[in-house]
Amino acid sequence: MSDPQRVQIEYCTQCRWLPRAAWLAQELLTTFEEELTELALKPGKGGVFVVRVNDEVVWDRREQGFPEPTAVKRVVRDRVAPGKSLGHSDRSA
């Protein structure tokens, strides 16, 4: 892998969404253990829950609701590892 692949999950501390963000981070790190060079959890406020890949917003709770892990895995895969099979997650699409 030549380019760094960074994911950031920004979550609302006021809403106590750290456990949700940490769970999603674990799912992404397990799925993309070879592809990701960094995954960051960023505390925020005001109901924020945003997933970014290399600074590009790929999921925003305000527009799309809370993500299912498989949906986030698909959008992350499309940016960091196009063509990678997600196994059963791909079959449910």
Side-chain angles (χ1 to χ4, degrees), residues 24-54:
L24 184 57
Q26 176 183 322
E27 289 287 319
L28 292 172
L29 287 169
T30 301
T31 302
F32 301 104
E33 59 188 14
E34 299 285 324
E35 293 84 5
L36 295 181
T37 55
E38 181 180 354
L39 193 144
L41 296 176
K42 180 181 178 184
K45 295 186 189 281
V48 69
F49 197 93
V50 175
V51 180
R52 294 178 180 88
V53 177
N54 299 325

Side-chain angles (χ1 to χ4, degrees), residues 7-82:
V7 170
Q8 178 190 77
I9 302 171
E10 184 177 3
Y11 64 95
C12 180
T13 57
Q14 296 166 314
C15 302
R16 305 279 187 231
W17 288 339
L18 173 59
R20 187 184 296 253
W23 175 60
L24 184 57
Q26 176 183 322
E27 289 287 319
L28 292 172
L29 287 169
T30 301
T31 302
F32 301 104
E33 59 188 14
E34 299 285 324
E35 293 84 5
L36 295 181
T37 55
E38 181 180 354
L39 193 144
L41 296 176
K42 180 181 178 184
K45 295 186 189 281
V48 69
F49 197 93
V50 175
V51 180
R52 294 178 180 88
V53 177
N54 299 325
D55 298 321
E56 174 193 358
V57 174
V58 296
W59 199 279
D60 187 334
R61 180 198 64 82
R62 288 188 177 125
E63 297 173 10
Q64 298 156 284
F66 273 112
E68 289 296 322
T70 54
V72 175
K73 287 179 186 182
R74 284 185 201 115
V75 296
V76 169
R77 182 262 323 265
D78 292 347
R79 278 133 183 104
V80 304

